[in-house]
Amino acid sequence: MKVISACTLDCPDGCSCIVDTEKRKVSGNPEHPYTRGVVCGKVSRFFKRLDADERITTPLLRKGDSFDPIDWDTALNLCAQKIDALRQTPERIGYFGGYGYRGVFAAIRKAFFAALGSTKLRGSICDAAGCEAMIRCCGSLAANDTEDLLNARRIVNWGRNMKSSFMHTGITVNEARKRGTQLLTIDIADTEKKNSDEHILIKPGTDRFLAAAVIKLYLESGLLEQAVISRTSNWPVFRGLVESWSLENLCAACGVSVQEAEMLFDWYEQPGPVATLLGWGLQRYLYGGQNVRFIASLGMLAGQMGRRGGGVYYSFSSGRNLTSLQLETELPAPKNRRTMLAPDLSRELREADPTLEFIWVDGLNPANQIPDSTGVAAGLKRCPFTVVVDGFMNDTALCADLILPPAYMFERDEIVGASTHNFINFSRKAVEPPNQCRDIYDVLADLGERLEHPIYLPSRSQCITKSLENSGVGPEELSSQGFSRSHWPMVAYESMRFDHPDKKFRFPETLDRDPEPTTDYPLNLLTLVNGKYMQSQISEAEQRGIPVVSISSKSSALERLDLSEEIYAVSPAGSLQVQVEINDSLYPNVVLFRRGGWMKFGQSPNPIIEPTITDMGDTAAFYSQYIRLENRSKIPQGE
Ligand SMILES: Nc1nc2c(c(=O)[nH]1)N[C@H]1C(S)=C(S)[C@@H](COP(=O)(O)OP(=O)(O)OC[C@H]3O[C@@H](n4cnc5c(=O)[nH]c(N)nc54)[C@H](O)[C@@H]3O)O[C@H]1N2
Ligand SMILES: Nc1nc2c(c(=O)[nH]1)N[C@H]1C(S)=C(S)[C@@H](COP(=O)(O)OP(=O)(O)OC[C@H]3O[C@@H](n4cnc5c(=O)[nH]c(N)nc54)[C@H](O)[C@@H]3O)O[C@H]1N2
Ligand SMILES: [Mo]
C-alpha cells in the first residue's frame, strides 16, 4: 500500500512523502509543489531506523548499570507517583523537550508540562540567534515564499547549504538558473564554486563585515534611494557606524578582497530583483545575530525587501500556521516558571537551586547535542529520576532511570508546518509501531489521567481543529490531499511595511569584532551538518573507529602535525582523538567535523565545545569554538 504522509524531522524543508508500506520505503510526493517528488537520504532511508535491531521497543527501568523491561502500567504509575510528590514544587520537575519531532501532537508535551508549571528550557541550540536578528530588523520572522526565487534576476547565497539541509531551496534555485537567474555563493568552503556563477570564500563568522563593506560602497556611490531610507527608523546612527570603518578594514575583518566586495556591490546594484538567501550556519557564532542583521540591512538598503523576486530569506516559524494548545488541570498552572538556558545546561544543572528531582527528556539528545555534553550527562545522572522518551540507547538514554519507547514518524498521525514554505502537511500513520512503542499523545493522555490532580488532553480532533483555526486550512482537505497551502502572502513586507509598531526597518546598533584566537587554540572548529544523517539519529553500526576531521593543506596546523601518529583535537574543555584528512576547499583556519556522532563511540564533538552564547537569541555559538590539533601518544592525566 502507498500512503501519503510527511516528514516530522526538524528540517526547514518539511517534505510530503509517499510511504510504500510493503517495501518499507519512502519517496517524495510528486504532487506537493515544494517537495516535487524528491526527499533527502535521511528520509528515504528512514525505515532502516524504524526497523533497526537496536531499537528500544519496550519501557526500560534502570537496575544498577543495566535496564530491565517493564510494562507501561508500571512505567506510567511510577512517573505519576513522582510527579504527584512534586506537584506543590513544580520547579523541581524539569521538562527538556526538543525538536527531534515537530508538529501539533508533538507540541502537546510542551502544553502538558506547562500545565504542571515545570522548569523548562530557554534559548536555543539551533537557529534562534538568526530568528531574533530578523525580528529585531523586521518586527517579525517572515520571508518570501521560496517559489518567488523563480522571479529573481540574481540570487546571493550567504552560506545556505542547498545540498543537504535546504535541498528544496536548491531545487528551486536550479530551476531559476535554467531560466537565466545568476547565483553568487558566499561560503567558508569553495565546494559550491562549480555550481555558482561567482563565489566568495569568507572567514568563518565574519559575514557582517562583508555586508557592511557593501553598505559602505553604497554610501560612497551615492546610489542609496531616499524612498528606501524613509522606510527605516535609525538610519543616521547606522550610517555613522558604517562610516566609522574604512572599506579596507571591513574587508580585512572578513578575509575578502576589496575587488570581491565591489563585485558583490555590483550584484546588488545592477537592475532587476536580487534575492538574498541566508543559511543558519552563519548565526552559530558569538556575533551570529549581527551577521544576520547586517546581511538583512544590505538587502534592505539595496531596495530588495518587500519586493517580488527580491527578499531576504532566513526562515519563518514552522508553527506560524498552527495555534498552540493549552491543557486543562484542576490545579492552576503556576506562572513565572523557572527556565534553564539550553546551551548552558551543564552549568544550569550543576548550579540549580532547588535541584531537579524529576526530568522528562523528549525528542532531544541533550547529553550529546549540547555544549559540554559530558557535564549535561553528569547532570542528568545526578537527578534522582530521569525519564527519557527515545527509541535508541544514545548518550541521553544511557543517563535515564526510565526509558519510554515512542512511535516514530510514519507510525503515528501528525500535522506539521515548515520554515521554508507555507504548506501544512499531514503526516499520516502508515505502519504500526513495533512491539510496545506508543504514540506520545496516548502516553501523555494516559499519564495525565493517572495524576492525583489529573491533566486532561483535548481529543485528537479538537487538537486538529484548534491548531488549524488561523491557518485557512480545513482538516478535510489536509487529510485527503496530505497537504494544503495556508494563506500567507508570496511576498513578505510588501511595500516595505514591516511589523514594528512604526512599520519601519531597524538597523543593528553595533558592529563588533570577534576576540582574536590565542596561540594555544588557533583553529576554528566547525561542526557542520552531516549530509547523511539527521543530527544524532545515526545507527550504531556506522559509528565505529576514530572520527575524521578535515583541514586545508594551507592550515598552519600541518606544520607541527605528524599525520601518521595519533592526533587529538584539544580545546580548553578537553580533548578528543581524531583522524585528519586534507580538504583544500576549506578556509585555512577551519577544522571541519561533521556533527551528530555519539559520545559513547568517541564520535561527538560536544565534550570539547564550551558553552558560549550568541549576541542575540540565547543560542549556542557552536562555531566560535577554537581548538588545536596535536600529536600525543597518550592523553595526560587530568584532561
Ligand atoms: N542531512 C541533514 N539535514 C539537516 C540536518 C542534519 O543534521 N542533517 N539538521 C537540520 C537542522 S536541525 C538544522 S538547524 C539545519 C541546519 O542546516 P544549516 O544551518 O544549513 O547547517 P550548517 O551545517 O550549520 O551550516 C550551513 C552552511 O553554512 C556554511 N557556513 C558556516 N559558517 C559560515 C559563515 O560564517 N559564513 C558563511 N557564509 N557560511 C558559513 C557552511 O558551509 C555550511 O555548509 O539542517 C537541517 N537539515
Ligand atoms: N557541535 C554541535 N552540536 C549541535 C549543533 C552544532 O551546530 N554543532 N547544532 C544543533 C542543532 S541545529 C540542533 S537542532 C540540535 C539538535 O539536537 P537534538 O534535538 O537532540 O537532535 P536529534 O539528534 O535530531 O534528535 C533528538 C532525539 O529525538 C528523537 N526522536 C526523533 N523522532 C522522535 C519521535 O517521533 N518521538 C520521540 N520521542 N523522539 C524522537 C531521536 O531518537 C533523537 O534521539 O543539535 C545541536 N547540536
Ligand atoms: Mo537545528
Side-chain angles (χ1 to χ4, degrees):
M1 195 172 56
K2 291 196 172 161
V3 178
I4 301 176
S5 188
C7 179
T8 65
L9 295 178
D10 183 18
C11 177
D13 281 23
C15 290
S16 175
C17 308
I18 309 282
V19 179
D20 184 328
T21 57
E22 272 98 45
K23 292 194 184 133
R24 297 183 79 78
K25 279 214 162 104
V26 188
S27 54
N29 183 358
E31 305 296 326
H32 191 279
Y34 193 68
T35 304
R36 300 201 217 182
V38 182
V39 285
C40 68
K42 54 195 190 288
V43 178
S44 65
R45 286 192 303 267
F46 201 73
F47 271 97
K48 274 199 158 173
R49 190 161 166 83
L50 295 182
D51 298 338
D53 290 339
E54 70 232 41
R55 184 158 169 197
I56 299 166
T57 63
T58 141
L60 295 175
L61 184 65
R62 176 172 292 281
K63 194 174 169 201
D65 286 336
S66 62
F67 291 92
D68 277 351
I70 56 167
D71 57 39
W72 276 99
D73 222 28
T74 317
L76 293 185
N77 278 343
L78 248 171
C79 293
Q81 205 184 11
K82 307 274 178 197
I83 293 173
D84 281 340
L86 297 168
R87 202 69 190 264
Q88 298 309 321
T89 51
E91 66 279 10
R92 290 175 176 274
I93 300 174
Y95 163 63
F96 301 157
Y99 292 95
Y101 61 113
R102 295 176 307 118
V104 168
F105 294 110
I108 284 181
R109 303 167 285 167
K110 200 171 145 197
F112 187 94
F113 286 92
L116 283 174
S118 75
T119 293
K120 62 177 179 177
L121 295 176
R122 74 169 191 283
S124 159
I125 53 169
C126 185
D127 60 349
C131 297
E132 175 66 19
M134 290 304 289
I135 293 167
R136 290 194 194 180
C137 284
C138 304
S140 66
L141 187 62
N144 292 11
D145 191 297
T146 308
E147 257 176 64
D148 190 52
L149 287 174
L150 297 174
N151 300 317
R153 181 85 61 87
R154 290 176 300 287
I155 297 172
V156 179
N157 176 16
W158 298 76
R160 180 173 283 205
N161 174 342
M162 299 196 287
K163 281 255 158 57
S164 38
S165 38
F166 289 82
M167 198 180 163
H168 291 82
T169 305
I171 292 173
T172 313
V173 169
N174 283 341
E175 196 182 322
R177 292 187 77 208
K178 280 193 198 128
R179 301 181 187 184
T181 303
Q182 293 208 301
L183 174 67
L184 183 151
T185 304
I186 301 160
D187 209 334
I188 52 90
D190 63 14
T191 345
E192 288 308 303
K193 198 171 184 170
K194 55 184 183 301
N195 300 320
S196 313
D197 298 291
E198 290 291 351
H199 190 282
I200 296 174
L201 185 69
I202 194 164
K203 185 178 173 195
T206 64
D207 294 61
R208 63 191 178 283
F209 296 105
L210 178 56
V214 179
I215 294 170
K216 176 103 189 163
L217 288 166
Y218 262 103
L219 277 171
E220 289 173 358
S221 72
L223 288 169
L224 287 172
E225 290 175 34
Q226 192 46 43
V228 173
I229 304 290
S230 69
R231 299 304 314 142
T232 67
S233 67
N234 55 343
W235 169 243
V237 178
F238 184 65
R239 178 187 183 128
L241 176 63
V242 175
E243 278 174 346
S244 70
W245 284 73
S246 73
L247 182 63
E248 288 67 28
N249 282 349
L250 289 169
C251 289
C254 56
V256 168
S257 68
V258 169
Q259 288 77 2
E260 286 171 309
E262 285 169 347
M263 170 183 70
L264 185 56
F265 168 71
D266 284 342
W267 269 65
Y268 274 100
E269 183 38 38
Q270 281 161 31
V274 188
T276 299
L277 295 175
L278 285 98
W280 297 348
L282 47 74
Q283 54 97 53
R284 292 191 179 92
Y285 294 90
L286 189 54
Y287 293 107
Q290 269 184 30
N291 284 336
V292 172
R293 288 201 75 178
F294 272 85
I295 296 168
S297 300
L298 169 57
M300 176 65 195
L301 286 169
Q304 298 298 338
M305 293 283 268
R307 176 180 188 183
R308 188 167 175 262
V312 171
Y313 293 73
Y314 181 73
S315 71
F316 35 79
S317 159
S318 63
R320 77 172 177 173
N321 292 311
L322 304 168
T323 313
S324 52
L325 303 163
Q326 281 188 346
L327 305 187
E328 279 175 42
T329 167
E330 292 164 18
L331 294 181
K335 298 205 172 59
N336 302 325
R337 290 166 68 190
R338 173 162 71 167
T339 61
M340 290 190 172
L341 183 59
D344 202 4
L345 188 58
S346 164
R347 183 190 53 79
E348 291 275 22
L349 288 171
R350 207 170 44 242
E351 295 175 1
D353 180 16
T355 53
L356 293 175
E357 301 293 313
F358 176 96
I359 298 175
W360 180 281
V361 188
D362 194 336
L364 183 70
N365 188 358
N368 175 277
Q369 293 280 61
I370 291 184
D372 185 15
S373 48
T374 325
V376 175
L380 294 177
K381 281 191 200 140
R382 265 194 316 272
C383 173
F385 201 75
T386 297
V387 183
V388 175
V389 187
D390 211 303
F392 292 88
M393 199 52 89
N394 59 24
D395 295 322
T396 300
L398 279 173
C399 306
D401 296 287
L402 176 66
I403 301 173
L404 301 177
Y408 278 133
M409 76 173 172
F410 309 137
E411 296 172 344
R412 58 181 199 92
D413 284 343
E414 186 57 281
I415 290 173
V416 273
S419 43
T420 51
H421 63 74
N422 274 309
F423 290 92
I424 294 177
N425 294 339
F426 181 41
S427 178
R428 188 186 291 279
K429 175 176 173 179
V431 295
E432 284 303 320
N435 198 9
Q436 293 190 52
C437 294
R438 262 178 105 182
D439 189 323
I440 190 67
Y441 175 91
D442 295 333
V443 172
L444 292 177
D446 191 344
L447 176 59
E449 284 175 20
R450 285 171 199 254
L451 299 177
E452 194 185 336
H453 299 280
I455 293 178
Y456 297 110
L457 267 50
S459 71
R460 281 176 186 266
S461 67
Q462 280 170 331
C463 292
I464 295 172
T465 316
K466 170 85 186 148
S467 61
L468 292 176
E469 70 186 2
N470 293 319
S471 67
V473 166
E476 298 77 26
E477 185 195 359
L478 187 60
S479 171
S480 61
Q481 198 178 221
F483 58 88
S484 184
R485 195 194 280 269
S486 66
H487 53 51
W488 289 82
M490 287 296 282
V491 173
Y493 312 119
E494 189 93 55
S495 312
M496 298 195 188
R497 288 185 69 76
F498 295 91
D499 285 332
H500 285 301
D502 62 2
K503 303 291 172 205
K504 290 184 176 177
F505 184 94
R506 289 195 190 153
F507 296 110
E509 294 80 19
T510 48
L511 176 58
D512 290 297
R513 281 186 186 273
D514 290 279
E516 283 298 314
T518 61
T519 46
D520 275 353
Y521 305 103
L523 304 171
N524 194 175
L525 177 65
L526 298 190
T527 43
L528 304 184
V529 293
N530 187 329
K532 275 172 79 184
Y533 310 103
M534 184 66 193
Q535 310 287 13
S536 72
Q537 305 186 37
I538 311 180
S539 82
E540 300 206 3
E542 288 172 70
Q543 302 194 58
R544 296 293 181 264
I546 299 161
V548 178
V549 300
S550 319
I551 60 174
S552 160
S553 59
K554 294 190 203 106
S555 174
S556 59
L558 278 175
E559 291 159 19
R560 283 166 284 118
L561 217 55
D562 179 347
L563 296 188
S564 63
E565 292 288 317
E566 279 186 14
I567 300 172
Y568 287 82
V570 185
S571 81
S575 61
L576 182 74
Q577 194 180 357
V578 294
Q579 301 179 64
V580 174
E581 65 172 30
I582 301 299
N583 174 350
D584 276 330
S585 74
L586 296 171
Y587 196 88
N589 72 336
V590 167
V591 175
L592 168 58
F593 190 138
R594 295 282 169 196
R595 68 177 174 254
W598 297 4
M599 282 201 292
K600 79 174 191 185
F601 299 117
Q603 304 260 345
S604 170
N606 284 324
I608 66 165
I609 294 186
E610 298 162 282
T612 309
I613 312 300
T614 53
D615 53 344
M616 294 166 212
D618 282 342
T619 302
F622 288 107
Y623 298 175
S624 285
Q625 183 64 52
Y626 278 79
I627 64 163
R628 66 172 177 265
L629 293 172
E630 67 180 31
N631 288 121
R632 270 196 221 167
S633 44
K634 84 180 186 306
I635 307 177
Q637 282 190 341
E639 281 220 36

